[in-house]
Amino acid sequence: MKPTIIAIDPGASGGFAVSENGQVKLFGMPATRGDIKSALANIRCRAQRENVECICVLEDIVKFIGGKKTSTAGDPIGMPESSAIVYGQNHGYIEGVLAGLEIRTDTVYSKRWQKEVGLGTKPKEMKKGEWKNKAKAMAQRLYPALNGEITLKTADALLILEW
């Protein structure tokens, strides 16, 4: 049997994509740490019941996050510090929960999975919303059966799953 695979975009506006028994399910990032832990524990329990391995691919922490620099159009480049804190906290918390649940975890940098699935590299002048919409459109093309379920929160996770 195929393993259960969890792909996670750990940002506050991120989400999970889970491949179980040949079906893909999408979830926006749970609202609380308890909800994150419960969601991962439930996925792990289902994999154990099916006697299949549970593997997670977690988007790795970006080493530079900054909102001080601006593009030629005057828009901020990078991630605002407040978002960076949530991103880092979510990432660390999720890593800890995955370790506690003994779920094998691999990490991948966003630029790597984006390039390797064919999304490319975000142009510096492109606004975050435009980039997220591009990712969502690509996810919808790759997974037309999930078209109505794919959101801006789950598109990156689904593309990480594709990677």
Side-chain angles (χ1 to χ4, degrees):
M1 293 186 81
K2 291 184 177 184
T4 293
I5 301 173
I6 309 164
I8 303 176
D9 170 6
S13 61
F16 296 5
V18 183
S19 175
E20 294 177 296
N21 300 318
Q23 294 187 344
V24 176
K25 299 173 186 169
L26 305 174
F27 309 91
M29 183 58 63
T32 69
R33 287 182 170 194
D35 292 341
I36 291 170
K37 182 179 177 184
S38 292
L40 292 171
N42 288 335
I43 294 164
R44 174 71 171 137
C45 284
R46 288 193 301 270
Q48 285 178 321
R49 277 196 304 269
E50 295 291 324
N51 200 30
V52 297
E53 185 178 15
C54 190
I55 302 167
C56 180
V57 180
L58 177 63
E59 186 177 73
D60 208 350
I61 282 269
V62 178
K63 302 301 186 235
F64 168 77
I65 300 173
K68 301 281 186 211
K69 295 185 179 186
T70 58
S71 69
T72 54
D75 297 315
I77 298 173
M79 185 183 294
E81 288 81 359
S82 59
S83 295
I85 290 167
V86 171
Y87 177 68
Q89 286 177 329
N90 275 359
H91 186 278
Y93 181 76
I94 290 168
E95 264 189 324
V97 169
L98 292 166
L101 293 170
E102 298 180 348
I103 296 174
R104 187 181 102 201
T105 303
D106 297 320
T107 58
V108 61
Y109 288 110
S110 58
K111 286 187 180 192
R112 180 174 178 193
W113 70 256
Q114 290 167 357
K115 181 180 178 185
E116 291 180 7
V117 299
L119 188 60
T121 304
K122 179 183 170 291
K124 290 180 181 180
E125 292 76 27
M126 184 179 275
K127 293 182 179 179
K128 181 180 177 182
E130 292 173 305
W131 181 248
K132 293 287 270 181
N133 279 319
K134 182 178 178 183
K136 180 181 174 187
M138 179 178 212
Q140 289 170 324
R141 281 192 306 277
L142 291 171
Y143 292 88
L146 296 174
N147 199 10
E149 299 173 49
I150 299 169
T151 67
L152 293 176
K153 289 185 172 221
T154 60
D156 282 3
L158 186 55
L159 292 176
I160 293 167
L161 183 66
E162 176 69 16
W163 174 83

